[in-house]
Amino acid sequence: MLGERIRKLRKQKKLTLEALAGEKLTKGMLSLIENDKAQPSMESLAYIAERLNVEVAELLGNANASELRNVMVQAEQLINIDHEEDPNKYKKIIKLIEPFIDKVTKSYESARLLELYSYALYYEKIDGWQTLLQRAADIFDELNVSSSRTKIAVFRSSIKFVEHRYEEALDVFLKERKAVEEQHFYIDPLSLLELDYHESVLYFAVGNSEPALNVMERAITLSKEKRIFYLIDDLYRLAAVHAMDDGNKEKQNYYLMKLKKYGEFADHEPSIHFYHLINLMMLISEEKQYTKALELIEEYLEEKMVHYETWLSAEKGKALYYLGRYDEAFAVLEQVKVPEYLHHPYDLAMFYILESFKGLIQLVLGNNEAALSYAKKGVQLFETLPESAYKRFSIVTLEKIKKEF
């Protein structure tokens, strides 16, 4: 009870009723408050808190700022641990934050704890996270913390995105972005970049390239103007892959060179590795230098291109197929699995197409039934993805194999 907390704090600080009452309260009124026979006004409560040298939140039974901040720091450390390193990290976050959920105030620390707690509930498949996340969003809106509110917007759309429900993900995102822009009179450049990047990603995911390109170019321009390199590597990668699928060699080379220069400047290995990967893919699909491609793949695997080892194996299977080494090619492709963290159609297409290659291999080996099965699977996988060169290849492959029956 409020009165009990005030009395306890007064005695801890060795103050008499008269000393705490001071000039603004009477001893009798303070006694009534401590015995929960009278409710102080917010002005009186603030006065008592000041005299006791505590926050009003502490008197009300809420956690104080330093306590919440300490819990937030611990939760931040947990959320940043790789899930493979600690599979129980979300359970730990729930256990850590749960005692404070009913004590949160309208502070940044409170909102962040609600946010992290909501994420943990979501990943543990526990109901109630939506309401708590909305509380966090409301506090961030009131405090005008656009960066944190932006992350919630991205998270909400990502839920549909990882389920490959791209149209719904875009719809959620656009509504969230509108809400952020309406609630925040100032949005920092980093948050603007994040909003533009994810909007572009989602437009590409639904096959709507015109607005995707417009938003992407806007983000790249903002990055250059503000000299902010946040997400610039992802934007260059996205632009290069789109140009490759669109058959625009000039744009593809332009963005790849930009990515390479960024990688060298920032000493960012994934960017440099991606540059090499795309060139390798072109070596196979356009230049048809399969032997050279195989040599490069072995070289890259020895160099431990950890970010793209699975991609390299996929390209190895293709190169072996084109060299007529069918059994080897099939064995390699059978070992390639789609990484669980991939959800964008551009990425998925690079792996879904492997089913078509397996079908072609089985066709050459005389296993027509198996060939048809793999080809059909390839086309089925592409059903929810937008139009692309890969998707067209899968359809052509199926038609080719059907003619053998």
Side-chain angles (χ1 to χ4, degrees):
M1 299 293 285
L2 174 61
E4 185 180 342
R5 285 191 290 272
I6 292 174
R7 184 190 303 109
K8 182 178 179 181
L9 285 167
R10 176 174 65 78
K11 290 184 176 180
Q12 283 178 355
K13 295 180 183 294
K14 296 182 170 54
L15 294 174
T16 63
L17 281 169
E18 289 179 330
L20 179 57
E23 297 178 357
K24 293 187 177 181
L25 290 173
T26 65
K27 176 182 174 182
M29 175 55 71
L30 185 56
S31 178
L32 289 172
I33 291 171
E34 285 193 357
N35 286 291
D36 291 308
K37 293 180 178 179
Q39 288 294 320
S41 65
M42 284 305 298
E43 183 181 355
S44 297
L45 197 60
Y47 173 73
I48 294 170
E50 183 182 1
R51 303 277 293 174
L52 290 170
N53 196 27
V54 297
E55 295 181 14
V56 171
E58 188 172 349
L59 291 184
L60 292 172
N62 298 326
N64 61 49
S66 62
E67 190 176 17
L68 290 177
R69 195 172 299 115
N70 180 53
V71 175
M72 183 186 74
V73 169
Q74 294 179 61
E76 296 275 13
Q77 291 171 344
L78 284 169
I79 203 78
N80 289 323
I81 295 174
D82 189 281
H83 191 259
E84 291 184 1
E85 184 181 335
D86 187 355
N88 295 314
K89 72 172 189 176
Y90 295 118
K91 288 184 174 66
K92 291 178 181 178
I93 290 172
I94 292 170
K95 184 177 180 181
L96 174 68
I97 299 177
E98 198 162 47
F100 297 88
I101 289 300
D102 293 330
K103 300 180 181 179
V104 295
T105 61
K106 290 192 175 183
S107 65
Y108 170 79
E109 291 84 2
S110 294
R112 182 58 174 153
L113 285 177
L114 286 168
E115 181 189 5
L116 294 174
Y117 187 68
S118 301
Y119 295 161
L121 291 178
Y122 167 76
Y123 287 116
E124 288 296 320
K125 296 179 172 56
I126 299 173
D127 291 336
W129 64 269
Q130 297 97 327
T131 302
L132 294 168
L133 189 60
Q134 186 56 50
R135 284 175 62 189
D138 290 342
I139 296 172
F140 286 137
D141 282 341
E142 288 184 39
L143 298 175
N144 199 36
V145 186
S146 61
S147 58
S148 297
R149 183 61 181 86
T150 293
K151 292 188 184 303
I152 290 178
V154 170
F155 174 79
R156 282 172 166 165
S157 67
S158 73
I159 292 171
K160 302 295 183 184
F161 183 77
V162 299
E163 295 172 351
H164 303 175
R165 295 156 66 179
Y166 304 117
E167 293 282 356
E168 292 178 54
L170 176 60
D171 184 55
V172 170
F173 179 84
L174 293 176
K175 289 177 180 176
E176 283 291 307
R177 177 164 193 164
K178 182 181 179 183
V180 171
E181 291 173 341
E182 287 178 348
Q183 289 290 331
H184 297 262
F185 61 87
Y186 170 77
I187 300 177
D188 63 281
L190 286 177
S191 295
L192 283 174
L193 276 174
E194 188 155 7
L195 288 168
D196 280 350
Y197 169 70
H198 286 284
E199 184 172 336
S200 181
V201 163
L202 289 168
Y203 271 124
F204 277 128
V206 299
N208 200 343
S209 60
E210 186 175 347
L213 288 168
N214 290 337
V215 177
M216 182 184 69
E217 292 291 350
R218 183 175 70 197
I220 291 173
T221 299
L222 176 63
S223 179
K224 290 177 180 176
E225 288 177 353
K226 300 294 185 180
R227 299 191 63 79
I228 300 172
F229 300 112
Y230 176 61
L231 291 176
I232 193 64
D233 56 317
D234 292 309
L235 288 165
Y236 286 152
R237 272 197 290 270
L238 187 64
V241 171
H242 171 73
M244 181 177 72
D245 185 67
D246 204 38
N248 191 328
K249 191 73 175 177
E250 183 181 349
K251 282 282 189 181
Q252 174 189 315
N253 290 336
Y254 172 78
Y255 284 116
L256 280 177
M257 286 307 300
K258 285 286 188 182
L259 182 64
K260 182 172 181 283
K261 288 178 181 178
Y262 167 79
E264 292 170 344
F265 166 75
D267 194 23
H268 190 245
E269 276 194 347
S271 295
I272 297 172
H273 290 171
F274 184 82
Y275 167 81
H276 289 313
L277 175 66
I278 295 298
N279 281 322
L280 174 68
M281 294 170 72
M282 293 300 101
L283 200 63
I284 295 172
S285 63
E286 293 187 4
E287 299 178 33
K288 307 189 187 311
Q289 297 188 42
Y290 310 124
T291 301
K292 183 178 179 181
L294 281 176
E295 292 171 356
L296 284 173
I297 289 169
E298 294 305 320
E299 179 184 323
Y300 294 154
L301 287 171
E302 286 180 13
E303 291 177 4
K304 304 294 183 185
M305 281 176 56
V306 293
H307 299 94
Y308 296 108
E309 283 183 356
T310 310
W311 277 263
L312 291 173
S313 294
E315 295 307 308
K316 181 177 180 178
K318 292 181 190 177
L320 288 168
Y321 162 76
Y322 285 120
L323 285 170
R325 295 159 62 178
Y326 302 119
D327 289 322
E328 291 178 73
F330 188 80
V332 169
L333 294 180
E334 276 287 85
Q335 295 300 312
V336 177
K337 306 299 179 187
V338 183
E340 291 183 358
Y341 57 84
L342 292 185
H343 298 289
H344 197 281
Y346 282 174
D347 296 313
L348 295 175
M350 294 182 186
F351 289 94
Y352 287 173
I353 199 64
L354 301 184
E355 298 302 317
S356 298
F357 275 94
K358 291 178 192 177
L360 289 170
I361 292 169
Q362 292 301 319
L363 183 65
V364 174
L365 294 175
N367 303 321
N368 289 5
E369 290 291 341
L372 184 61
S373 177
Y374 281 115
K376 283 182 176 179
K377 182 180 178 182
V379 170
Q380 289 169 357
L381 287 170
F382 277 102
E383 284 180 356
T384 59
L385 303 192
E387 187 66 22
S388 69
Y390 290 106
K391 187 172 186 175
R392 290 190 292 273
F393 181 87
S394 73
I395 295 171
V396 170
T397 298
L398 177 58
E399 292 304 314
K400 177 182 177 179
I401 292 174
K402 279 182 175 179
K403 288 179 181 178
E404 298 298 319
F405 284 81

